[in-house]
Amino acid sequence: AQSVSQHNHHVILSEAASLELGCNYSYGGTVNLFWYVQYPGQHLQLLLKYFSGDPLVKGIKGFEAEFIKSKFSFNLRKPSVQWSDTAEYFCAVIPSGAGSYQLTFGKGTKLSVIP
Amino acid sequence: GAGVSQSPSNKVTEKGKDVELRCDPISGHTALYWYRQSLGQGLEFLIYFQGNSAPDKSGLPSDRFSAERTGGSVSTLTIQRTQQEDSAVYLCASSLWREIDGRPYEQYFGPGTRLTVT
């Protein structure tokens, strides 16, 4: 079965700092990859997704992620964070063509941005 | 347009009681998913419905959990004889379905039902 690892449990940054959150998955075949965000008191929202094609995907609010197949990674980046980016970020995977369509999530990374 | 809605938003119940949680998916979304979010286990898949196909129940943690989807729209998750370890936020999501290759589009989540078993 597939699994997702997010190695950073809690990241604290000052405003304007650059952000990179790590995500690694374990699955031998083709995958669909997602980053979701959960702002305090709000529900999960899709930040960006990768299905196929260009491995560098851009999402909402200035976020981007790069799929590196050889490293089984899908790291999330933002060049300059804002206080409003304080939230919990979840990486998730769905294997392609495996007959199962549920998201497998990582444990999440809590981001705190200090003004 | 309207997103996924869930009710109730909060539910407190006594151990041993049955509870029903409701999900209204986005109109037109044929796929519906239930997950739960708890401190210890993170986000876990429970069950998935797509159209008229048999549901994928592979994530249900025990036979006390069941779900149904009526008319291809609204879904109800039922937990019988609740236990304290059932305390969690139960999330519903829905998505469109790619008929061309039988795969889902991205999933959109509702606000969740926070279940507390005392």
Side-chain angles (χ1 to χ4, degrees):
Chain A
Q2 66 275 10
S3 65
V4 177
S5 296
Q6 292 180 247
H7 305 293
N8 306 107
H9 298 296
H10 191 186
V11 173
I12 303 172
L13 295 173
S14 298
E15 274 193 318
S18 64
L19 169 71
E20 180 160 3
L21 300 183
C23 172
N24 288 90
Y25 66 92
S26 66
Y27 183 73
T30 308
V31 291
N32 301 314
L33 294 155
F34 307 82
W35 276 98
Y36 282 85
V37 60
Q38 191 168 31
Y39 297 103
Q42 295 188 30
H43 59 276
L44 278 168
Q45 300 172 40
L46 181 67
L47 261 185
L48 48 79
K49 60 185 184 290
Y50 171 80
F51 282 174
S52 63
D54 188 342
L56 184 62
V57 293
K58 295 190 184 298
I60 60 171
K61 305 186 179 185
F63 286 90
E64 65 177 31
E66 184 176 12
F67 171 50
I68 302 179
K69 188 175 180 180
S70 61
K71 295 185 178 180
F72 298 88
S73 70
F74 190 55
N75 291 354
L76 181 71
R77 300 194 293 247
K78 186 172 185 179
S80 176
V81 295
Q82 301 172 316
W83 176 79
S84 58
D85 294 323
T86 295
E88 191 157 16
Y89 293 80
F90 295 91
C91 182
V93 64
I94 297 178
S96 296
S100 62
Y101 308 110
Q102 68 269 25
L103 289 159
T104 298
F105 286 92
K107 294 291 188 184
T109 297
K110 185 176 179 181
L111 172 65
S112 299
V113 180
I114 302 168
Chain B
V4 178
S5 61
Q6 293 185 245
S7 60
S9 55
N10 282 283
K11 177 72 176 179
V12 181
T13 190
E14 293 179 351
K15 177 181 172 181
K17 300 282 190 183
D18 297 352
V19 295
E20 284 189 351
L21 313 178
R22 177 189 168 102
C23 171
D24 282 271
I26 293 171
S27 178
H29 282 195
T30 58
L32 185 147
Y33 314 76
W34 283 97
Y35 296 84
R36 72 176 174 182
Q37 187 174 22
S38 58
L39 281 176
Q41 301 300 321
L43 279 151
E44 305 172 281
F45 164 76
L46 296 177
I47 188 169
Y48 145 81
F49 299 87
Q50 161 51 22
N52 295 321
S53 303
D56 177 353
K57 305 179 182 180
S58 59
L60 294 178
S62 78
D63 58 8
R64 295 185 296 104
F65 288 72
S66 63
E68 63 177 17
R69 189 176 185 192
T70 55
S73 181
V74 171
S75 177
T76 302
L77 177 70
T78 301
I79 309 173
Q80 296 178 310
R81 306 181 302 281
T82 51
Q83 304 294 313
Q84 288 187 329
E85 60 263 28
D86 300 334
S87 296
V89 177
Y90 288 82
L91 299 173
C92 177
S94 70
S95 73
L96 291 167
W97 190 257
R98 291 161 52 119
E99 295 295 341
I100 191 170
D101 55 7
R103 289 165 51 199
Y105 286 93
E106 58 268 25
Q107 297 174 31
Y108 293 87
F109 283 80
T113 294
R114 182 175 296 277
L115 175 66
T116 304
V117 182
T118 61

